[in-house]
Amino acid sequence: MSTHERVAELTDRLEAKTRLMQDVAHELKNPLSVILGYASYLMKEKVGPEETQKALKTVLANAERLVGMVDQLQDAVRLESDGFAIETRPTEGATLLQEAVESVELEAVRRGIRLNWRSPVGDSLLVTADPRRMLQVLGNLLGNALKFTPEGGTIDAAAHRDGEFVRFSVIDTGPGIPASELPMLFDRFYQAGDNAQKRQGLGLGLTICKSLVAAHGGRIWVESLPGVGSAFNFTLPAILTSNYSPR
């Protein structure tokens, strides 16, 4: 690499980190402002039990959003250093899918979105995986689907055998993604969608998903058609039950 190329690379990295800091400051400030506003409201005003409960729910939702962003930042730091530490074990893929779907069911109901999940009956979907990390991947994909799918839309989550792998899919009926954006979708800091949707995150989720899936020996990709919807898929190496003996 020439000196000019090296300088250009370092400049790009510095600009990316500057953008990240700006985005982090903006994104952290929004939920913090809501929390502070409602906390001040509860302290200064005489409010009844119903208003108190509503305010506390808003505070809790924004606090959880902050925790999620901090988690993403910590994962981004790990990507820059030694990568992810994963603790794998034989895991049933259908169970992972069910747990991930159940964790977002209430949000789907609140948004008026139909959420379905399925896996083959009687077909073992054993994979070697870190369950916590794979639930993180599925949670991110389902969360994105919920964010972009309009009221009355549908999200289908599925898991099935695909040769020597188990494929997980999250398919939505959202607006879809233009073909020009697909190659950058898993790049760090890149965010698809309109400006309002872009300001709802740090642009790190899909990058982290890609790294986690790769660390498990799988791959992740997206298929999308504008006006139809998007399908996010990832694979994990399957464990053949004939070769598996539980301890």
Side-chain angles (χ1 to χ4, degrees), residues 46-169:
K46 293 181 179 180
V47 296
E50 184 176 344
E51 290 83 1
T52 299
Q53 286 297 312
K54 182 179 179 180
L56 289 175
K57 286 181 179 179
T58 302
V59 168
L60 179 60
N62 281 273
E64 290 175 343
R65 182 182 169 194
L66 281 174
V67 170
M69 284 190 282
V70 171
D71 286 343
Q72 280 198 349
L73 287 171
Q74 289 177 326
D75 282 339
V77 171
R78 294 188 185 101
L79 277 176
E80 290 285 350
S81 54
D82 299 327
F84 294 104
I86 58 175
E87 299 178 1
T88 62
R89 64 173 184 265
T91 305
E92 180 56 55
T95 300
L96 282 177
L97 185 67
Q98 181 177 2
E99 289 182 13
V101 169
E102 289 177 348
S103 71
V104 298
E105 278 182 332
L106 289 179
E107 181 65 12
V109 171
R110 187 184 73 81
R111 291 173 177 261
I113 297 171
R114 293 184 298 277
L115 178 59
N116 311 309
W117 77 277
R118 65 184 184 279
S119 65
V121 177
D123 185 11
S124 176
L125 299 177
L126 276 177
V127 294
T128 299
D130 183 327
R132 182 176 68 89
R133 287 302 195 177
M134 285 302 99
L135 285 173
Q136 179 182 349
V137 172
L138 285 165
N140 185 280
L141 298 183
L142 287 166
N144 283 344
L146 285 169
K147 181 169 69 173
F148 288 101
T149 302
E151 182 178 357
T154 301
I155 297 172
D156 291 304
H160 64 272
R161 281 293 299 272
D162 186 3
E164 297 180 351
F165 296 87
V166 171
R167 181 195 293 196
F168 296 84
S169 302

Side-chain angles (χ1 to χ4, degrees), residues 39 61 189 242:
F189 312 128
S242 59

Side-chain angles (χ1 to χ4, degrees), residues 164-220:
E164 297 180 351
F165 296 87
V166 171
R167 181 195 293 196
F168 296 84
S169 302
V170 175
I171 305 168
D172 65 62
T173 57
I177 305 166
S180 60
E181 296 192 40
L182 294 181
M184 295 91 74
L185 206 57
F186 293 95
D187 291 350
R188 193 173 303 184
F189 312 128
Y190 186 80
Q191 299 182 65
D194 59 32
N195 289 332
Q197 291 166 323
K198 288 181 180 181
R199 301 309 308 180
Q200 295 181 27
L202 300 176
L204 294 170
L206 289 178
T207 303
I208 293 169
C209 287
K210 182 179 179 179
S211 296
L212 284 171
V213 171
H216 283 75
R219 69 183 185 96
I220 187 170

